[in-house]
Structure formats: structure tokens, C-alpha cells
Amino acid sequence: MTLLPGVRSATVDTDRLRTHYLEAGAGATLVLLHGNLSTGRFYEHLMPALAQRYRVIAPDMRGFGDTEPKGLDATRGLGDWADDLAALLRALDLTDPPHLVGWSTAGAAIATFAKAHPVASLTFLDPVSPYGYGGVRADGTPVHPDFAGSGGGGANPEVVERLAAGDTSADSPASIRAVMRALYWAPTHQLPSDREDVLVAEVLKTLTGPDGYPGDATASPNWPGAAPGTRGILNALSPQYCHWADIVDLDPKPPILWTHGTADLVVSDASPLDFGVLGAAGVVPGWPGAAEFPAQPMVTQIRRVLEDYAARGGRVRVEMFEGSGHGPHIDAADRWLAVLEDFLRTA
């Protein structure tokens, strides 16, 4: 499927890796960073409208899409992604502070970037919790000292197998087409078949294995039996390495927009991907109970950190999208775009 009018595809060699990106428009820099198991093309439908005011850039991040398939050092959290973004902006000679949008995993990446570089604004789109994903209590402290219950060992092996095999079907709940329909947007939302085909093909470009998705893992004596490794995307999201609650210390504080789907099943206070929820439901045997391994209240954690950010002098706007899933920029695209444009006008 060809790109939408006005959207261009390009590749540039940076001082870190060869990066593919989509681009549209001219003006102040607006960077749209995708999340796990996606690419810059998940923003393509928004780019023609945004291009009327901004130079919009939607890169494929390390491990995904058509960017050079280099491994990810999980011990840096999303530091590799933040540094890759900085390298891309240098290569494109974009020196003014950018507006950054980070979906899911990329929420941690844009927060990490903002701790090292000036930014014009930050938009968190259903971001990973400020304390990482899985195996932490409400206050962000780990359930187990080795952070068991997070990282690469928690991936569904059939999902990994079907990704590696290039499965385009919806024959199994573990096929990426079925996963997208169930988790990426509201179940009531149906993409046009040609657009869905494009996005399936994009996800199937994912680098799989220990350096990409899901990453490596370490055996653990603690339930559920696996602790984070040191490579790949799911380990980068582990609370052992991923944390952006210290964004409250930024000075100066860029304005923040937080948008979130109320029906998000990925980043939720009761996510069915969280071992605390899976154990309580009996899906993973041997759960030690809520006192020992509670569900992670991810949305509550985001809210508390951003409330602290505001209490310390930052400007925060919150927009919850009723009935939307993990991607309100897809299943409520018109409203989400209007909210973003309104926020950027006053950022």
C-alpha cells in the first residue's frame, strides 16, 4: 500500500545506526515515536493533517520496521531509543527543541530523552508505567529482589514463533493480526482491510530473538520462575531498568499531555498481561497471592507521577478516551488528533 499523499519515506545513516523514518510537512519539529511491536507507520494516518503546521517525523525505532536491526541493551532501559532519537535529529540537522509523542514503550523513551535534552513538549500516549512493566507494587518497589515476573521470560512463545515465521493470518489468538485486534485498539473498532494488512506487515519486520523481541531471560527461584535478562525490548521495559518517575525533577518542566484509553488492556490497573492478574485468574499456576504478588496499578502510577509533576510547577493536561483501547490515536483518531493539535498550540 502506497504512502498517503504528502508522506515521504526516507533512510539516513546516523552516528548510531541506519534509521528509517516517515516525514511530512514543514515547521516546528514534531516527532511521533511508536511503541513495542509497531513502527512509525502506525502514525501515518495522522501525518497529513499535522503536516499543515509541523515537520512531522515518525521513525522506526531500534528493533522494528526498516531501521537497521541492531540489538538493544536492556540495562539502559529505553536509553538506546532516546540516544537513537538524538542521533536522528542530529543527522537531520534539527537543533530546536522538538515536540515529542511517545506511545506505550516510547513513553519511557521520550521521558529519558527529556532528561538529557531540551524538549518543547511531551505527549504520553498510553505510556508504560513510570516504574516499568510488571513485578512491582503500587509504590514502584519490586515484588522480588530479582524483578521476577517482568522481562523477556514473560512473552508468549507462540507469539514469538508466529512473528518469526511471518504469520499474517488470524488463525490463532497469538498471531499478530489477532493480537492487534484484541489489544491495540477497542474490539469494536475495525480497520479497513488494506490498512490492517499494512500494519500487520509492519509488525512482521520486528527483530525477534534475544536482541530484539522478546529478549533473553534469567531463571528465577521466585514465582513465576523467570527474571529479566539484559537484552531486548521486554527486558528494557522491566522495572529493573525502566523508570521515568524522576521526570518530576526536570527543570525547566516542558508541558505534558497524557492521553489514555479507558479500555486499554495493555497499560491498565488490571492488565491481563500482568502476572499479578494472570496468577489471580488461575492462568499461571502457583500464584502466591495478592500480598506477595499484586497486580500492578499502572494507570494509577502514571497519574500519581504526573500529579507530582504538576505539584512541582509543571503543566499537565489529561485526556481519557472513553472506550478506547491501547491506541486512541487509531480507534478515536479524529478526537485524539484534535486534542493533540489543541495542546501543541499552547505548548
Side-chain angles (χ1 to χ4, degrees):
M1 187 175 182
T2 57
L3 293 171
L4 295 175
V7 179
R8 304 177 295 278
S9 171
T11 300
V12 64
D13 287 316
T14 77
D15 53 35
R16 288 178 56 81
L17 79 172
R18 187 175 63 257
T19 301
H20 174 260
Y21 61 98
L22 300 183
E23 183 177 18
T29 304
L30 171 61
V31 183
L32 310 175
L33 294 191
H34 66 80
N36 189 16
L37 295 179
S38 57
T39 71
R41 202 152 188 196
F42 280 70
Y43 288 111
E44 181 190 358
H45 60 296
L46 305 173
M47 293 178 70
L50 290 168
Q52 297 176 33
R53 290 177 176 267
Y54 305 97
R55 182 175 179 181
V56 188
I57 298 171
D60 293 344
M61 301 308 291
R62 179 181 297 242
F64 298 96
D66 293 316
T67 285
E68 183 180 358
K70 283 191 173 182
L72 189 149
D73 179 359
T75 66
R76 304 188 65 229
L78 273 296
D80 273 351
W81 276 23
D83 288 351
D84 291 345
L85 172 57
L88 174 62
L89 295 178
R90 285 194 300 271
L92 298 179
D93 197 27
L94 296 173
T95 57
D96 291 338
H99 297 280
L100 301 180
V101 176
W103 179 28
S104 192
T105 296
I110 66 171
T112 301
F113 182 95
K115 287 184 277 186
H117 308 277
V119 298
S121 71
L122 297 170
T123 294
F124 293 102
L125 171 54
D126 293 58
V128 63
S129 164
Y131 303 106
Y133 201 95
V136 292
R137 301 181 184 277
D139 63 358
T141 57
V143 172
H144 298 303
D146 63 356
F147 294 86
S150 69
N156 181 331
E158 187 182 349
V159 171
V160 180
E161 290 170 8
R162 287 177 177 268
L163 275 173
D167 178 20
T168 64
S169 76
D171 295 342
S172 164
S175 71
I176 194 58
R177 191 181 298 272
V179 168
M180 287 198 309
R181 291 173 179 175
L183 297 177
Y184 283 38
W185 41 78
T188 54
H189 184 75
Q190 187 172 358
L191 286 181
S193 59
D194 57 349
R195 174 56 52 176
E196 183 179 82
D197 288 345
V198 165
L199 298 185
V200 167
E202 288 292 300
V203 179
L204 291 177
K205 298 174 181 178
T206 298
L207 173 66
T208 55
D211 284 320
Y213 183 89
D216 59 347
T218 304
S220 172
N222 300 309
W223 188 88
T230 61
R231 300 147 63 197
I233 191 67
L234 291 192
N235 292 311
L237 289 167
S238 165
Q240 185 167 10
Y241 312 119
C242 178
H243 32 77
W244 55 271
D246 57 347
I247 196 174
V248 300
D249 297 323
L250 284 180
D251 184 22
K253 288 179 166 57
I256 285 177
L257 170 64
W258 172 34
T259 66
H260 210 100
T262 63
D264 187 350
L265 296 177
V266 178
V267 178
S268 163
D269 283 0
S271 172
L273 304 180
D274 177 11
F275 275 106
V277 174
L278 292 169
V283 176
V284 180
W287 181 57
E292 293 295 321
F293 203 112
Q296 180 183 356
M298 304 176 192
V299 173
T300 297
Q301 290 172 335
I302 298 166
R303 189 179 301 279
R304 287 175 179 169
V305 167
L306 294 184
E307 286 175 348
D308 190 12
Y309 187 91
R312 299 188 189 202
R315 178 159 64 90
V316 178
R317 176 174 173 178
V318 178
E319 294 283 347
M320 305 305 284
F321 284 72
E322 188 65 34
S324 281
H326 190 52
H329 65 305
I330 296 174
D331 64 23
D334 290 345
R335 184 191 159 204
W336 189 86
L337 181 62
V339 167
L340 176 65
E341 290 180 318
D342 183 63
F343 167 73
L344 292 175
R345 276 192 289 269
T346 59

